[in-house]
Amino acid sequence: MTYTNFSIETDADGLALVTWDMPGRSMNVITQEVLAELDAIVDQVASDAAVKGAVVTSGKAAFSGGADLSMIKGMFSFYEEQKRTDPDHAAEKLFELAGSLTRVFRKLETCGKPWVAAINGTCMGGAFELALACHGRVAANTASVKIALPEVKVGIFPGAGGTQRVPRLTNTQDALQMMTTGQTLTPQRARAMGLVHEIVDPDRLIEAAKAMLKAGLKPVQPWDERGFKVPGGGVWTPAGGQLWPAASAILRRETYGNFPGATAILKCVYEGLQLPFDTALKVEQRYFTEILQTTEAFSMIRSLFISMQELGKGARRPAGIAKSRFAKIGVVGAGFMGASIAYVTAAAGIPVTLIDRDIAAAEKGKAHSEKLVKDSVGKGRFSQEEGEALLARITPSADYQDLADAGLVIEAVFEDRAVKTAVIKAVEAVIAPDAIFASNTSTLPISGLAETSIRPEQFIGIHFFSPVEKMMLTEVILGEKTGDGALATALDFVAAIRKTPIVVNDTRGFYVNRCVFRYIHEAYDMLIEGVPPAMIENAAKMAGMPVGPLSLNDEVAIDLSQKILKASIADLGAASVDPEHMALIDRMVDDLDRRGRKNGHGFYEYPAKPAKKYLWPELKTFYPQQPAEAVDVEVLKSRFLVTIALEAARTVEEGIVTDPREADVGSILGFGFAPYTGGTLSYIDGMGVKAFVALCERLAADHGDRFRPTALLEEMAAKGETFYGRFDPYAKSRAA
Ligand code: NAD
């Protein structure tokens, strides 16, 4: 038989090598077709007496990334369709569909012939669940083998047997840790956990897998053997008695119960380990079906899996413009941001000229990369040679002539219009006529800066977030005159440095900072109302924010907040800033010199390590305190999420953000907006615009007009619309 996605070669010993190599794709993924073919291959291997066993491997650099977008999207649309056409049986049919991988994998492990997975590269999600169903697993000894069950990160969980096989191979604690965090394992760690049997040199992978078969690998999984015992003891053992109460508590501490997918993992393992394997798989399938019906799973998959990939692949890139090849990038300003921008550019293999006012300052900027390289080499993240090659790509300079052959120049000089104007002039005097100029300004509108440019259509904003090495998001800002060529170049650059872009129109604070400051200002309001500071921080985390607003403000720097508030007053008038906010911040900065983490004193105190930071006790004396019992934590949680989501809705109404995918992905990657919601607009769509408007009205009545729903929201509520319906990101491609 021939297959589209697999080839099979049986050798003289009767060992079948099943190579997964999907045509026209760089990565193998599980699709309905792949699954159907795998099903047929299992039958073929099982029924052909000449075949003694099989090795499954990949013909690509990676083993597989797991389930395909289309398959996951298909499950949601299938269920929606069933609810419309056959509501009484919709959940039952979803249950059948949710078990489709499990059925094939279980058939593979019980087919009577031994199977070995030869893991040659990254092996994620459903693909690792396939490997777990094999009787043997061999991994290549290379850093490119990354093993994970990351489903929880997109709101679901390993529902193709993962929650049952992992804790039957390794101790329960490690199994729970692996699945509830979605952590990536090296082959060494996977072997130590008992998830991989052997690690061999990459060129010996297939040979070793076959050797395992020849050595008489049993075609029976440990859990199908009589007398099988769960590693480390089962649920009803002293070890289990210690583990389970703590496991629930830890998960609660980490997630505040916001992630149904993570909670389901605990339930699957706890219940499954007490049951025979096939029944345990059914339990998993039931929870999987339940999770697929949650708003959290739907929204997280849409934003964190589908939209993120689409944006990363250039969903907003204008068509018909040749892809930019970057022979050289210029970075002007080798300070905090510029030094890091140079690093990520060089790390992506692109030569950079890093300019500052004098060569010493430029070299200081390069020293940042030297430190990062040293650390990475020390940690074995890359080799000495790779590190040296990276550094060789960064040329410090004080001479603008060195930018003459740069296709893109990014400025990260002081946040000062006059300094930036001078830099724009100096750069434009030397770069090629078709080169693009980008500003990393965080507060100055791009259209205003572009007025000093001699070619505003080639002028754009590329707004990075700190720390640049870690933050996956960049905001690309279009000035009034920015042309498609500049946008395409900026997006090509962001793709080259492997970050996710959102494209927004020009406005004060752009998208991310507009939302972030709403979050921080809500905390100011709570402080002023006398909400105990610890409650403010905890309520924000309970709402799903990764960092409390006061802690975040300390990181951003309180004097920067002061500068921004003052700039608003100067540019937009006194009414643009709440005088009580200004008074609070002036007191912190001017009277008390509490600037945040950078000077060791902010809303928190930062004692010398290893002591941990703690909320500054005196903060409680600023305003008469409400007793904690009088404060409704649920209201605090709503206030944080609603104030941010409302700001996001305003940016859509103003035409700043035009694609709901960007508002959602930008909010999660930019400032960690409660990821279980799927982002700011999914939060609104998820509860329904009507319910959101009602919530806003309640909050406005109790806490002020800043919560008033906008005209657009009211109109959408009246019409029963959603953001993804009204601002359908796929409308154009569907029409084409
Ligand atoms: P920084 O003060 O650390 O660095 C600025 C650098 O620019 C300094 O090394 C300085 O010597 C250099 N410089 C000043 N004038 C110059 C000139 N005429 N020619 C060449 N170099 C010159 O500042 P930063 O925090 O890196 O911020 C830089 C820009 O990035 C600002 O526009 C800021 O708003 C923006 N930004 C900062 C952050 C952040 O978190 N710090 C985040 C996003 C964007």
Side-chain angles (χ1 to χ4, degrees), residues 535 538-540 542-543 628 630-639:
M535 277 188 91
N538 287 337
M542 289 167 78
V631 182
D632 185 338
V633 174
E634 290 307 314
V635 172
L636 299 185
K637 285 164 65 179
S638 294
R639 283 172 64 178

Side-chain angles (χ1 to χ4, degrees), residues 323-600:
K323 195 157 183 261
S324 329
R325 303 251 165 260
F326 298 104
K328 189 203 254 185
I329 298 278
V331 175
V332 184
F336 180 68
M337 294 300 283
S340 291
I341 298 169
Y343 175 81
V344 296
T345 306
I350 304 171
V352 198
T353 294
L354 179 59
I355 299 235
D356 209 295
R357 287 177 292 187
D358 52 53
I359 187 73
E363 276 167 357
K364 189 165 165 241
K366 180 170 175 177
H368 172 70
S369 292
E370 285 158 3
K371 184 178 174 303
L372 292 179
V373 164
K374 198 164 159 231
D375 289 353
S376 291
V377 171
K379 287 185 184 145
R381 277 201 213 111
F382 42 74
S383 67
Q384 184 74 32
E385 298 75 62
E386 284 166 330
E388 277 165 20
L390 188 161
L391 290 176
R393 280 182 219 115
I394 304 177
T395 311
S397 165
D399 184 357
Y400 281 79
Q401 280 304 332
D402 290 346
L403 299 175
D405 53 349
L408 167 68
V409 175
I410 303 167
E411 73 76 16
V413 296
F414 298 142
E415 190 73 340
D416 178 314
R417 199 181 298 274
V419 176
K420 291 203 191 279
T421 302
V423 167
I424 294 165
K425 282 207 164 60
V427 171
E428 287 187 343
V430 294
I431 53 176
D434 59 349
I436 304 298
F437 186 99
S439 172
N440 178 45
T441 177
S442 33
T443 56
L444 303 170
I446 292 299
S447 304
L449 285 178
E451 280 169 16
T452 56
S453 162
I454 48 172
R455 39 193 176 179
E457 69 288 351
Q458 281 155 247
F459 195 102
I460 196 162
I462 304 183
H463 183 215
F464 287 85
F465 296 90
S466 148
V468 177
E469 294 82 9
K470 289 220 179 96
M471 295 292 287
M472 285 167 68
L473 187 74
T474 51
E475 241 174 339
V476 173
I477 294 115
L478 301 174
E480 272 160 27
K481 296 188 178 157
T482 304
D484 278 357
L487 175 58
T489 303
L491 292 178
D492 290 343
F493 174 66
V494 173
I497 58 171
R498 292 183 283 277
K499 300 212 181 278
T500 305
I502 60 168
V503 180
V504 304
N505 288 312
D506 204 10
T507 179
R508 178 178 285 269
F510 313 131
Y511 170 66
V512 168
N513 283 345
R514 270 182 67 163
C515 293
V516 167
F517 281 104
R518 284 284 173 183
Y519 178 49
I520 291 176
H521 290 177
E522 199 57 31
Y524 296 168
D525 283 318
M526 291 178 187
L527 277 178
I528 292 163
E529 290 163 24
V531 177
M535 277 188 91
I536 297 175
E537 294 292 87
N538 287 337
K541 282 189 249 165
M542 289 167 78
M545 301 300 290
V547 182
L550 301 175
S551 177
L552 181 66
N553 203 170
D554 275 1
E555 297 297 328
V556 171
I558 304 177
D559 54 331
L560 182 66
S561 291
Q562 185 188 41
K563 238 173 124 179
I564 293 171
L565 291 175
K566 283 186 174 165
S568 286
I569 294 174
D571 295 353
L572 306 173
S576 65
V577 168
D578 183 329
E580 287 196 84
H581 290 185
M582 198 70 246
L584 166 64
I585 295 313
D586 284 344
R587 183 171 175 190
M588 289 292 282
V589 177
D590 299 339
D591 303 349
L592 300 161
D593 195 29
R594 303 193 70 89
R595 293 162 193 271
R597 179 190 276 283
K598 66 181 187 186
N599 78 338

